[in-house]
Amino acid sequence: MFIEERHQKISDTIKRNGKITIAEITSKYGISDESARRDLRLLEQKGICKRTHGGAISIGQVNVRPPVDRNFDDMPIFDNYREISRIAAGKIRENDTVYLTGGSFGHIMVSFLPRDIHYTVVVNSVDIGKELRGFENIDVYIAGGKMRQSGSLVDSLANEFVSRLHFDLCFITGAGLTAEFGLSNGTDETATFQRTVIKNSRSKCLVIPSSKIGVDSFIKVCDADTFDSIITDWDCMEDQIAAIEEKGVEITVVEEPK
């Protein structure tokens, strides 16, 4: 098979399925990992795809966001969110004081939180606070303030509350992350609240799905290298990850479940 023909077939697969993996290419076309990566690099240069950690995704998927449903009882849990949450929860150590992000990641992380050690968790979500009531090994604090429809609290009162606290570890998420602009979010209230938590944290961990990497949202929260570590998934954009790693940030790319 000519290279051009292989490139066309790889391109067709990406357009049809939204992505392709290195393993798929090497298996189907009998070429090495290095050749498969070179094929994807050439296709990226033509604007056909965007390379990721394990293959490539279609250009149209870069800005895709999973559906958001703040009714946690019925919220769909995506494989990448689950794996990111599982690895993140493993960072918690005995006697830590932890800020746990509200929303999807905070909710999913609850099921992976350690049950055999004692530590303190601070949340700004009434729903997640309720979920934590059954954890006898955790002291739980809930930031006070005006509750949003989503159940989170990020107003000036909530910000004042967390400004008086120190965290050994914070888990933050956002609407976008790029090496150039950093972490960004949709509202100034959320960004301001997150900056306060980050400022008061000894260790800062960003949990973010690949669909939000390479995306700039409305309000900048902080530079990418503000974080000590970033946990993302197997579809993360290679160029962005490489650029952030060059800033000295430890990046963990979780593996796709088999």
Side-chain angles (χ1 to χ4, degrees):
M1 179 182 292
F2 293 112
I3 293 177
E4 292 80 4
E5 185 181 357
R6 185 171 74 235
H7 285 184
Q8 184 58 54
K9 289 183 177 296
I10 292 172
S11 176
D12 290 342
T13 299
I14 294 171
K15 291 176 181 177
R16 182 174 61 254
N17 299 333
K19 66 178 183 177
I20 195 168
T21 65
I22 295 294
E24 287 179 78
I25 297 172
T26 57
S27 173
K28 187 171 184 178
Y29 302 107
I31 60 176
S32 66
D33 283 11
E34 183 180 350
S35 295
R37 292 186 186 280
R38 184 171 60 248
D39 285 351
L40 294 179
R41 186 165 56 250
L42 292 171
L43 291 174
E44 183 180 48
Q45 290 172 358
K46 294 178 181 179
I48 292 171
C49 64
K50 200 72 179 173
R51 285 182 298 151
T52 67
H53 183 76
I57 58 176
S58 65
I59 295 295
Q61 280 205 317
V62 173
N63 291 313
V64 169
R65 294 181 61 185
V68 175
D69 185 349
R70 291 303 175 88
N71 180 354
F72 290 142
D73 292 335
D74 301 321
M75 183 185 76
I77 299 178
F78 300 92
D79 285 344
N80 58 338
Y81 275 59
R82 180 184 294 106
E83 290 305 303
I84 291 171
S85 298
R86 181 177 62 81
I87 296 298
K91 285 180 168 287
I92 299 173
R93 298 292 178 260
E94 189 165 12
N95 296 322
D96 274 351
T97 297
V98 179
Y99 166 75
L100 182 62
T101 180
S104 302
F105 272 117
H107 165 69
I108 299 168
M109 282 181 67
V110 167
S111 62
F112 296 107
L113 292 177
R115 304 294 292 259
D116 58 344
I117 58 174
H118 180 268
Y119 52 100
T120 299
V121 174
V122 179
V123 295
N124 63 312
S125 163
V126 294
D127 295 301
I128 295 175
K130 183 179 179 180
E131 290 185 72
L132 293 173
R133 287 174 60 186
F135 285 69
E136 295 182 358
N137 62 311
I138 301 177
D139 292 331
V140 181
Y141 290 80
I142 302 177
K146 182 180 179 181
M147 185 179 70
R148 288 177 165 180
Q149 191 171 9
S150 65
S152 65
L153 307 99
V154 293
D155 66 355
S156 60
L157 293 174
N159 189 57
E160 173 66 18
F161 179 87
V162 295
S163 72
R164 298 173 181 270
L165 304 178
H166 168 79
F167 305 102
D168 294 297
L169 173 63
C170 71
F171 294 104
I172 300 290
T173 193
L177 174 70
T178 60
E180 299 78 15
F181 193 59
L183 178 69
S184 50
N185 242 316
T187 70
D188 184 57
E189 271 191 335
T190 299
T192 299
F193 180 88
Q194 289 181 323
R195 288 190 206 106
T196 301
V197 171
I198 290 168
K199 178 183 176 183
N200 290 359
S201 298
R202 178 178 55 82
S203 181
K204 298 163 276 288
C205 178
L206 176 65
V207 288
I208 191 162
S210 59
S211 59
K212 296 181 182 180
I213 295 179
V215 176
D216 287 329
S217 192
F218 183 47
I219 303 289
K220 178 172 180 174
V221 178
C222 62
D223 291 331
D225 58 3
T226 299
F227 294 97
D228 302 291
S229 60
I230 295 174
I231 306 176
T232 187
D233 62 76
W234 51 89
D235 276 335
C236 57
M237 294 166 56
E238 258 188 6
D239 57 344
Q240 286 292 327
I241 291 301
I244 294 171
E245 282 184 319
E246 287 180 2
K247 296 176 179 289
V249 182
E250 176 188 319
I251 297 182
T252 299
V253 179
V254 301
E255 295 183 1
E256 185 173 11
K258 303 300 183 183

